[in-house]
Amino acid sequence: MKFLKEGYQSLQLDIVGFLAILGESSVLVQSQVAALSIFFLLPRLVPAPQALIRTSRPERLEAATGKVLGAHSGGTRHYVNHLAHLLHNGNSLPAYSVRCEKITKTLGGPSDVNARSFSPIAALSILGCLMSVALFVLAIVQNDGFALVAILALSFLSTIIGVGNRWYLKLPKRMSKRKVPPSDVVINYPNGAFLIVICDEDIARELYWHPEECEYWVCPMTYRFLSLSGTLILMFGVICLGNATLDLQLGFAASYIILNAAYWAVAALPPQWNWDLSSYRVKRIQDKDGERNTSFTAALWKAIAITQSVQWVKNGAIAPSSRAWDQWIQEAEQMAKSGDGGWNEKEDMVRDLPDWDFNTALSKYLDPPDSAADRV
């Protein structure tokens, strides 16, 4: 069975231009942290560059699902800021688990959060640049004018996109130094897990209470002009690519296939590998009883016992709104404050919880003896 009946020259690769615009999802996954890196400005081949040519740019980092509650301050947020989610690796919390962590500023470390200087995202930029150089040399050797124009257009398109999307992270700083309530935070995730964070007010405002703002290099009007220019250059580059010789089209096809595979692989890696979060130090507080719990009620009781507060439970509507649950929460607060539960600052570990049968107490309020007798 023959595939190329007239030999190598009968191979048709007119569709190779479509390879240049495939792979949007894997490019977009890490696009914001990639734009923090200086390597984002390198002229290089990028799969699906149209994914980065948008009419508007995101104003803040993508938030994670969850509730952020001030354990004592009364604050409430119905989302988890991106950096806080990365620092605590919220996706690793099993259902109904309770974890306690302490976060501080790293002494002598960087003052700001940025992209890692050398990361998988940076490696992708370098790989794309090397492929551009290789194809540029090959186009000159083959004396292929269309391929030369295509590689120049598609490579410098990434630089134009990079200038338009280049940004730096602006974390809010606390200006006032007035006395405030304890700044500990409780994060409740949709799977019923609780993360208790011990931190000071400065860190709480930076990571949990204020949005992470994106400060861009260029203004919105300049960005729109660059986006329009990038769109025209992309179309012109794809047209030239379709008229390149077969050898160069094979080179482009191989390059985009490799790049698409590489971008997909990097998108599957933990996002923490691309961020430089060394300005913060996260320490897990040891819990000899373990983090896992068998039910939401057990997890809620443990979180209340550690924080020794139910204010956050009420503010965040964590428990069902009923008289029975209100009575149970009130008793849970009394039991939490009557024992030696909470966080032992000297030993950096969670103290033993008060001896309380929370399940029996909840059953008592949900089905009191009087109501059972009335049904009979």
Side-chain angles (χ1 to χ4, degrees):
M1 179 181 292
K2 289 187 177 181
F3 291 96
L4 301 175
K5 295 182 180 180
E6 299 180 6
Y8 167 73
Q9 294 298 326
S10 65
L11 180 64
Q12 298 293 321
L13 284 177
D14 295 337
I15 201 172
V16 71
F18 287 101
L19 293 176
I21 58 174
L22 295 177
E24 288 191 23
S25 59
S26 58
V27 171
L28 282 175
V29 166
Q30 302 283 7
S31 60
Q32 279 193 283
V33 63
L36 273 174
S37 172
I38 194 65
F39 293 105
F40 195 65
L41 301 176
L42 279 176
R44 67 197 188 282
L45 291 183
V46 179
Q50 76 279 0
L52 302 175
I53 304 175
R54 295 167 284 193
T55 54
S56 61
R57 300 166 294 186
E59 296 181 358
R60 53 171 298 175
L61 294 173
E62 182 181 4
T65 305
K67 289 183 179 180
V68 176
L69 308 160
H72 306 279
S73 65
T76 304
R77 289 289 182 274
H78 294 280
Y79 55 85
V80 184
N81 280 347
H82 189 78
L83 294 182
H85 188 65
L86 292 181
L87 277 166
H88 298 295
N89 196 16
N91 291 330
S92 68
L93 282 170
Y96 308 135
S97 60
V98 179
R99 180 178 297 171
C100 187
E101 293 183 341
K102 181 180 180 181
I103 182 168
T104 56
K105 284 281 191 177
T106 303
L107 295 177
S111 58
D112 297 319
V113 174
N114 211 325
R116 289 184 185 270
S117 300
F118 299 99
S119 65
I121 285 290
L124 288 178
S125 298
I126 296 173
L127 176 63
C129 184
L130 293 175
M131 287 185 172
S132 291
V133 172
L135 290 172
F136 179 80
V137 173
L138 184 59
I140 294 177
V141 172
Q142 295 287 335
N143 197 26
D144 189 338
F146 274 115
L148 184 63
V149 175
I151 189 62
L152 290 175
L154 295 175
S155 296
F156 283 98
L157 169 63
S158 63
T159 301
I160 294 174
I161 294 174
V163 172
N165 288 279
R166 177 77 170 153
W167 64 288
Y168 63 92
L169 184 62
K170 181 180 179 182
L171 292 176
K173 303 297 182 184
R174 184 186 176 205
M175 305 303 294
S176 174
K177 297 300 180 183
R178 68 173 64 95
K179 188 176 181 180
V180 294
S183 304
D184 300 345
V185 171
V186 178
I187 303 177
N188 175 221
Y189 286 99
N191 64 351
F194 293 93
L195 176 64
I196 301 168
V197 183
I198 301 167
C199 62
D200 61 30
E201 182 67 16
D202 292 336
I203 293 177
R205 295 198 183 196
E206 286 181 11
L207 295 178
Y208 308 105
W209 299 124
H210 288 274
E212 301 146 330
E213 299 178 358
C214 301
E215 294 286 336
Y216 288 97
W217 273 16
V218 299
C219 66
M221 186 61 67
T222 303
Y223 170 75
R224 294 188 184 96
F225 174 76
L226 292 174
S227 295
L228 174 60
S229 303
T231 302
L232 297 176
I233 292 173
L234 174 60
M235 292 188 291
F236 182 70
V238 171
I239 292 172
C240 292
L241 178 56
N243 289 276
T245 61
L246 184 60
D247 291 340
L248 265 299
Q249 286 196 7
L250 281 172
F252 274 102
S255 298
Y256 279 114
I257 290 173
I258 294 172
L259 283 173
N260 266 290
Y263 270 82
W264 186 93
V266 169
L269 296 175
Q272 290 88 341
W273 291 16
N274 297 306
W275 286 91
D276 182 4
L277 303 172
S278 58
S279 56
Y280 297 99
R281 179 175 179 265
V282 178
K283 181 179 181 180
R284 187 173 301 184
I285 306 300
Q286 297 300 316
D287 184 357
K288 64 181 181 181
D289 294 330
E291 299 176 353
R292 294 178 179 269
N293 299 280
T294 57
S295 66
F296 174 77
T297 308
L300 179 59
W301 157 237
K302 188 170 187 177
I304 291 174
I306 294 175
T307 59
Q308 296 192 328
S309 170
V310 297
Q311 181 182 5
W312 58 273
V313 181
K314 299 175 181 178
N315 293 340
I318 302 299
S321 179
S322 68
R323 181 182 178 185
W325 274 97
D326 290 343
Q327 291 173 321
W328 182 87
I329 290 171
Q330 184 177 1
E331 184 175 345
E333 182 180 26
Q334 294 173 354
M335 294 303 302
K337 292 182 177 180
S338 66
D340 294 328
W343 167 55
N344 189 327
E345 184 175 0
K346 293 182 179 179
E347 299 181 4
D348 262 349
M349 64 182 301
V350 176
R351 294 192 180 101
D352 293 334
L353 302 184
D355 186 13
W356 182 50
D357 191 344
F358 54 87
N359 275 321
T360 301
L362 181 59
S363 299
K364 175 183 66 176
Y365 293 122
L366 289 174
D367 191 15
D370 291 344
S371 62
D374 292 341
R375 288 197 298 269
V376 175

